[in-house]
């Protein structure tokens, strides 16, 4: 029976997963019932249903047949009977007679599938059925006046479309002008023949990845414009964590139905895409339902080879007047090659004005040189130029490993205007780094803030797509207004939650050919033992925030950096961590954690970092000796220098270490959780808009 069941269901979801629709009948007679004819006749209320599985609640006294025996059943939908159907019985809790039970269908015919989905369509229209996999939207009431102004300013400058809703009709509108002095919003109707109608109205506008709804209790019409006051409250609704945008022109999806091959191949036009999902425009005859697996799902671009994906139906929209409906899918590339091409395709759709860095390596290198990276790195022009070959080689390798790296650029007639990269430096932590922007106006001109906004969205959305992504990190200079306004102010607002961190640090440059020359004074330096490593991890956990520990793999379980280094080594790239300790008279008094990345990955060497930790009184007195040992460790790996990230207020113990000032006047370690990233990207979109438009149009 089991073998036959697996063959019959093919690639459809198994009964234990969230397949189909949850049923919520307000009255017993409105529901769908399951009728068993053995032993005897019993009826049970259906709670979840799809063409692959049914779940039901047994009525009191219901006797279920043995699990090993196939069952026959009927579905009764207000007198409309579907069946007979066959399946295999199982229980959610076999110890309880009143526990829900399920039946995995076998050999459901095409006609029976149509009948089941027709019944579910009717139940969905009547509000009796919801997709079992449908996530709950995130809703938030925004009452802060400055935040409301910031959102509406962003909507106005970026010309996002909106909807004006009244009973029985929906009209397209846009926020044409934000009169800051008068605190008035001027709306334009996108449908010239329409009329504003009677108040009240609800107006919805779209931000980065959320919809914002405001109530308009009264109307003030000036000519063909509607003028409203700035609302005291906005409602924000977000249905998904990742942004979706219109799909590239000509992109098609092709699949065969996994249950009914007689339907033949289906080819549907894509409507929108995100890194993890897409939607197509289908019809009722596609017979898809939430939870159905489409594998393989071929994506056919207008030019180039098809991509092979695994698709899971997550949403089936209501039929439109033309009979078509939107079908939403969660998708996963089947091979690493498909993943690289899919991420490139989606990145380009999300940020069409940006490009991948490997396409512009020479202009990108010139940008970094022109904006002062040699000086920031503490290198001479000759030393910096020697990194060119490794920069090009590493960038080309990184382009083939999208699960580890992203390098975004904004090209123009001047070469490359700006760049920003992200890299998976730790198991769950991605480093945002190497931001550079050419001074002056780009050619052709671009709205202020747009370049930085699009680069941040591309680099950070790329990291957001990684399966193990939990933390975003960066080293930012608090003396730079952009970083203070965009990065640090947001993180400080959320620091109390444990999901964000702003930690002032001091960055020092240590050259390997410049040892301190100080005597060791009886200090023994060597690799940490397992016991010393465990003690160091416990001290880090005691003295540092939990987010700091998890994001940079400084817990006892991950201090060796095994997961991250294995991923990098599989890509043919270097990644390494070493813990050295200082011992005095056999007692461990301090440690230094050393990390190394591939040459050319970060020109400021922020992947070649050292961190010092005191482990006993007097441990800071050994810092100079530990740094000299670190110089020897990096030199043995052909590294000319590294960066010391100092988190201590007193730099006195480092005075004799022959260190140079590192990049940034007032650097901070900035850290943000993946949970906050969608809202942070909304914040980036609002904080990088330019000026509001000129005076309002005359009525």
């Amino acid at each position: 029976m089991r073998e036959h069941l697996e063959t019959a269901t093919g690639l459809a979801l198994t009964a234990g997963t969230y397949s189909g629709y949850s049923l919520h009948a307000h009255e017993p007679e409105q529901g769908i019932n399951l009728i068993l004819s053995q032993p005897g006749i019993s009826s049970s209320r259906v709670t979840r249903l799809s063409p692959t599985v049914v779940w039901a609640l047994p009525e009191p006294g219901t006797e279920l047949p043995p699990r090993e025996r196939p069952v026959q059943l009927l579905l009764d939908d207000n007198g409309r009977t579907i069946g007979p159907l066959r399946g295999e019985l199982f229980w959610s809790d076999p110890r309880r007679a009143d526990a829900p039970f399920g039946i995995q269908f076998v050999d459901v015919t095409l006609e029976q599938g149509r009948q089941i989905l027709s019944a579910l369509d009717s139940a969905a229209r009547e509000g009796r059925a919801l997709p079992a996999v449908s996530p709950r939207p995130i809703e938030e009431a925004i009452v802060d006046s400055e935040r409301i102004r910031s959102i509406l300013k962003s909507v106005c400058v970026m010309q996002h479309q909106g909807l004006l809703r009244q009973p029985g009709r929906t009209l397209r509108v846009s926020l044409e002008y934000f009169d800051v002095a008068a605190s008035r919003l001027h709306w334009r109707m996108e449908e010239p023949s329409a009329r504003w109608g009677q108040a009240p109205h609800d107006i919805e506008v779209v931000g980065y990845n959320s919809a914002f709804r405001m109530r308009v209790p009264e109307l003030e019409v000036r000519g063909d414009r509607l003028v409203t006051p700035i609302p005291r409250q906005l409602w924000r609704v977000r249905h998904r964590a990742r942004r979706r945008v219109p799909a590239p022109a000509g992109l098609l999806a092709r699949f065969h139905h996994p249950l009914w091959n007689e339907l033949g191949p289906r080819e549907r036009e894509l409507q929108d895409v995100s890194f993890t999902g897409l939607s197509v425009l289908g019809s009722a005859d596609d017979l898809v339902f939430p939870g159905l697996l489409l594998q393989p799902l071929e994506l056919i671009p207008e030019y180039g080879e098809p991509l092979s994906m695994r698709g899971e139906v997550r949403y089936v929209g209501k039929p439109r007047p033309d009979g078509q409906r939107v079908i939403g899918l969660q998708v996963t590339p089947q091979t690493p090659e498909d993943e690289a091409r899919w991420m490139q395709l989606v990145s380009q759709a999300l940020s069409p004005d940006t490009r991948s860095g490997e396409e512009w390596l020479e202009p990108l290198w010139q940008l970094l040189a022109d904006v002062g990276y040699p000086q920031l790195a503490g290198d001479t022009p000759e030393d910096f130029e020697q990194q060119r070959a490794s920069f090009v080689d590493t960038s080309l390798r990184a382009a083939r490993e999208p699960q580890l790296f992203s390098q975004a650029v904004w090209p123009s007639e001047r070469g490359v205007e700006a760049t920003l990269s992200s890299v998976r430096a730790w198991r769950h932590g991605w480093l945002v780094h190497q931001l550079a922007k050419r001074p002056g106006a780009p050619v052709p001109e671009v709205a202020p803030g747009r370049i930085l906004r699009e680069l941040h969205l591309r680099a950070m959305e790329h990291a957001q797509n990684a399966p193990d992504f939990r933390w975003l990190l960066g080293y930012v200079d608090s003396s730079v207004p952009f970083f203070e306004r965009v990065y640090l102010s947001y993180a400080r607002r959320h620091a109390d939650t444990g999901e964000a961190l702003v930690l002032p640090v001091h960055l020092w440059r240590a050259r390997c050919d410049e040892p301190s020359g100080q005597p060791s004074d009886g200090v023994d330096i060597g690799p940490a033992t397992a016991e010393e490593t465990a003690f160091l991890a416990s001290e880090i956990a005691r003295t540092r925030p939990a987010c700091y520990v998890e994001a940079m793999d400084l817990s006892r379980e991950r201090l060796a950096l095994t997961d991250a280094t294995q991923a990098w080594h599989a890509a043919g790239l270097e990644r390494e961590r070493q813990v050295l300790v200082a011992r005095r008279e056999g007692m461990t008094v301090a440690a230094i954690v050393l990390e190394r990345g591939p040459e050319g990955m970060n020109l400021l060497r922020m992947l070649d970092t050292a961190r010092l930790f005191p482990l006993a009184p007097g441990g800071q007195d050994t810092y100079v000796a530990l740094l000299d040992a670190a110089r020897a460790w990096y030199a043995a790996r052909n590294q000319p220098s590294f960066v010391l990230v100092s988190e201590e207020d007193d730099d006195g113990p480092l005075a004799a270490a022959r260190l140079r000032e590192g990049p940034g006047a007032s650097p901070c370690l900035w850290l943000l959780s993946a949970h906050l990233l969608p809202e942070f990207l909304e914040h980036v979109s609002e904080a990088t808009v330019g000026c509001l438009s000129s005076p309002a149009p005359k009525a």
Side-chain angles (χ1 to χ4, degrees), residues 18 20-22 130-137 239 290-291 313-316:
Y18 291 101
Y21 292 81
S22 297
L130 292 172
V133 294
S134 178
R136 292 179 60 86
H239 289 274
V313 178
R314 304 299 297 269
Y315 169 80
V316 179

Side-chain angles (χ1 to χ4, degrees), residues 459-501:
M460 293 181 178
E461 286 176 334
H462 185 104
Q464 184 187 27
N465 185 55
D468 289 334
F469 169 66
R470 293 184 189 172
W471 300 99
L472 201 63
L473 295 87
Y475 292 95
V476 299
D477 190 343
S478 62
S479 67
V480 177
F482 173 80
F483 290 132
E484 177 61 42
R485 184 177 77 254
V486 177
Y487 283 73
L488 301 178
S489 63
Y490 183 88
R492 290 192 188 103
R493 291 203 303 267
H494 296 275
D496 291 343
T497 68
E499 294 189 308
L501 177 69

Side-chain angles (χ1 to χ4, degrees), residues 256 380 562:
H256 284 80
T380 65
T562 303

Side-chain angles (χ1 to χ4, degrees), residues 316-529:
V316 179
K318 296 179 180 179
R320 306 192 317 187
D322 60 2
Q324 294 183 307
R325 61 178 70 194
V326 175
I327 300 169
L329 295 96
Q330 185 181 71
V331 296
T332 308
Q334 294 283 68
T335 69
E337 292 76 17
D338 291 320
E339 180 181 25
R341 293 176 57 212
W342 174 245
M343 294 188 73
Q344 176 67 22
L345 183 151
V346 176
S347 292
Q348 206 57 52
L350 290 168
S351 303
D353 294 312
T354 63
R355 295 291 183 270
S356 296
E358 73 274 7
E359 305 172 25
W360 297 80
L361 286 178
E362 285 302 322
L364 173 56
W365 174 265
Q366 192 59 49
L367 166 69
L368 296 170
D370 290 346
V371 300
Y373 263 68
Q375 292 77 21
L376 288 172
D379 292 336
T380 65
E382 294 76 20
D383 290 339
F384 189 76
E385 188 63 26
Q386 288 179 4
Q387 292 194 66
R388 181 194 290 260
S390 59
F391 172 81
V392 171
D393 178 68
T394 301
S395 296
L396 291 173
R397 287 172 179 261
R400 298 191 292 268
E401 304 295 335
Q403 74 279 11
L404 296 176
F405 310 100
S406 169
Q407 188 179 61
V409 302
W410 183 290
S412 80
E413 294 179 12
R414 301 196 299 177
V416 169
E417 289 294 330
T419 182
L420 180 64
S421 298
S422 59
V423 53
R424 182 191 164 195
W426 303 276
R427 178 179 179 181
H428 298 303
W430 282 66
L431 179 71
V432 182
H433 68 119
Q434 213 147 264
L435 172 65
K437 186 178 183 301
R438 191 179 298 279
V443 181
E445 283 198 42
V446 179
R450 182 181 169 194
I451 292 177
L452 288 176
R453 176 171 64 251
E454 293 298 324
L455 288 175
H456 277 78
L457 296 185
R458 180 156 187 164
M460 293 181 178
E461 286 176 334
H462 185 104
Q464 184 187 27
N465 185 55
D468 289 334
F469 169 66
R470 293 184 189 172
W471 300 99
L472 201 63
L473 295 87
Y475 292 95
V476 299
D477 190 343
S478 62
S479 67
V480 177
F482 173 80
F483 290 132
E484 177 61 42
R485 184 177 77 254
V486 177
Y487 283 73
L488 301 178
S489 63
Y490 183 88
R492 290 192 188 103
R493 291 203 303 267
H494 296 275
D496 291 343
T497 68
E499 294 189 308
L501 177 69
V502 175
L503 179 66
V505 297
H506 199 148
L507 301 179
W508 298 97
R509 180 78 55 195
R511 289 194 60 88
C512 296
D513 58 0
E514 295 178 352
S516 70
Q518 299 295 309
S520 60
D521 290 333
V523 177
D524 174 42
I525 306 292
T529 65

Side-chain angles (χ1 to χ4, degrees), residues 259-326:
L259 294 177
W260 304 295
N261 195 56
E262 59 265 41
L263 287 172
R266 302 269 139 168
E267 199 167 274
R268 297 291 179 256
E269 182 180 357
L270 265 67
Q271 299 297 292
D272 56 38
V273 294
S274 73
F275 280 118
T276 58
L278 57 85
S279 71
V280 299
L281 203 56
S283 68
D285 196 49
D286 290 331
L287 298 185
V288 298
F289 51 90
L292 182 69
L293 292 185
L294 302 178
Q295 182 178 331
L297 173 72
E298 278 192 313
L299 300 185
I300 306 169
E302 190 171 13
Y303 305 101
E305 295 296 317
L307 289 81
S308 182
M309 313 288 282
R310 174 188 182 273
E312 179 185 341
V313 178
R314 304 299 297 269
Y315 169 80
V316 179
K318 296 179 180 179
R320 306 192 317 187
D322 60 2
Q324 294 183 307
R325 61 178 70 194
V326 175

Side-chain angles (χ1 to χ4, degrees), residues 664-684:
S666 301
C668 293
L669 172 64
W670 172 86
L671 191 153
L672 196 74
S673 77
H675 175 71
L676 290 178
L677 184 56
E679 279 70 31
F680 176 69
L681 292 177
E682 197 97 52
H683 168 74
V684 169

